[in-house]
Amino acid sequence: MTAGALTGDAERTISPARGGRVAPGASLAAAACVAVIAIMAAPMALSFLASIKTAADASAVPPHYLPQALSFENYAKVVNFQAGLATYVGNSALVALMTIVGCIMLAAPAGYGLARFAMHGKEIAFLGLLAPIMIPYQALLTPLYLDFAKVGLVNSHLGLAIVHTVLQLPFSVFLMRNSFEAIPREIEEAAMIDGCSAWTRFTRIFLPLAVPAIVTVALFAFINSWNEFLAALIFMNRETSFTVPILLVSVRIGNHGAVDWGALQASVIISIIPCLAVYLALQRYYVSGLLSGAVK
């Protein structure tokens, strides 16, 4: 058989069917993906539509999904609510940033040590680090509050960031350990032959190679800290120290104790935007970071 014949057979094999027809399985998969996207996006779409309704329109009986008239009074109410939206967003951003820094600074060296150093009881220590995942974090808040009250960390953004770091750290260590274990041993051996110390190997070789996992840790830390409500409610008691989740609870109270659905949905949309923006910006690293260490 000639090379030309082989090339022609290969082209016929990989070329699509005549008339641009798509395989039934591919069409079914595409339809399923569209259906899942529609189901997941529907609550956000309904929340946005409710946020641009007037107060009378939002409380209409029977309810209707499309607004009768566009109104941005709900967003104006959220922006000017109590201490102001900028204060709450700034508090949440500060706490989330400190949580990210804390998780990376603690989880990266811990994951590196657990992945690359031989030591007695390493697996037991690793299980000990993961054990807090099995404990409901609500059970930890009371003793943490009592301890923090003694050292002046109650009603402090640093104290709240420490709580969020404690809650996020076990998963962060688990993710970093898997990432470092996935890096080939030959790279480390070559660095050792060149005379690199353990710290140099960690900072100049392993950390650059583990950037997807570090970004994934940062993304999880940001989202969990940004959305965390109970610890922020317990540890913060000053209006100027509240975070965005506390804003969501406070702004929903309307006249005579009724729920202000329009303002609540407006605050929900505002709180979603930073998480969505960060996720879209880092999704490439997020996917590869989650998969690092999954295949040996």
Side-chain angles (χ1 to χ4, degrees):
M1 184 178 291
T2 64
L6 289 172
T7 303
D9 292 340
E11 290 178 351
R12 284 192 296 273
T13 301
I14 63 175
S15 61
R18 291 187 178 181
R21 298 168 112 191
V22 182
S27 300
L28 184 60
C33 290
V34 172
V36 170
I37 292 173
I39 292 173
M40 300 299 291
M44 293 181 61
L46 293 175
S47 187
F48 174 73
L49 291 175
S51 70
I52 58 176
K53 292 180 179 179
T54 62
D57 199 6
S59 58
V61 179
H64 39 78
Y65 296 107
L66 297 178
Q68 303 298 310
L70 295 180
S71 173
F72 294 96
E73 62 183 14
N74 295 317
Y75 288 94
K77 178 179 179 180
V78 173
V79 170
N80 299 313
F81 185 76
Q82 293 183 354
L85 178 64
T87 300
Y88 301 119
V89 171
N91 293 337
S92 289
L94 178 60
V95 172
L97 180 60
M98 290 190 290
T99 303
I100 291 171
V101 173
C103 285
I104 293 175
M105 291 184 64
L106 294 175
Y112 175 67
L114 291 169
R116 292 298 177 173
F117 291 99
M119 63 187 78
H120 294 293
K122 181 173 69 173
E123 295 301 324
I124 297 176
F126 181 58
L127 291 176
L129 289 172
L130 295 183
I133 295 179
M134 297 178 285
I135 303 174
Y137 86 96
Q138 294 86 349
L140 304 175
L141 294 181
T142 299
L144 283 175
Y145 181 87
L146 295 176
D147 290 338
F148 281 21
K150 296 177 182 178
V151 296
L153 288 177
V154 173
N155 205 43
S156 163
H157 294 127
L158 176 60
L160 184 59
I162 293 175
V163 175
H164 290 174
T165 302
V166 170
L167 300 179
Q168 184 63 25
L169 194 57
F171 176 75
S172 301
V173 172
F174 171 78
L175 195 63
M176 293 305 303
R177 185 203 189 199
N178 286 352
S179 177
F180 287 132
E181 283 184 340
I183 297 174
R185 288 280 179 181
E186 291 76 10
I187 297 177
E188 184 178 19
E189 292 170 357
M192 293 173 66
I193 292 174
D194 290 338
C196 293
S197 63
W199 179 253
T200 303
R201 296 196 302 271
F202 172 63
T203 56
R204 297 193 177 183
I205 296 175
F206 281 90
L207 283 183
L209 292 175
V211 166
I214 294 173
V215 172
T216 304
V217 167
L219 182 60
F220 269 97
F222 172 79
I223 292 177
N224 290 334
S225 176
W226 183 271
N227 294 322
E228 202 282 325
F229 167 74
L230 187 58
L233 180 65
I234 293 174
F235 282 80
M236 297 298 183
N237 52 45
R238 279 205 310 260
E239 183 179 296
T240 55
S241 301
F242 288 162
T243 56
V244 171
I246 308 301
L247 167 66
L248 267 65
V249 175
S250 302
V251 78
R252 69 186 178 92
I253 301 175
N255 295 328
H256 307 293
V259 177
D260 190 342
W261 293 108
L264 175 61
Q265 298 305 327
S267 59
V268 168
I269 294 297
I270 292 174
S271 67
I272 288 174
I273 291 175
C275 295
L276 188 61
V278 171
Y279 173 76
L280 292 176
L282 302 177
Q283 63 175 336
R284 178 167 60 93
Y285 298 99
Y286 170 74
V287 174
S288 58
L290 281 180
L291 293 179
S292 62
V295 179
K296 293 288 186 180

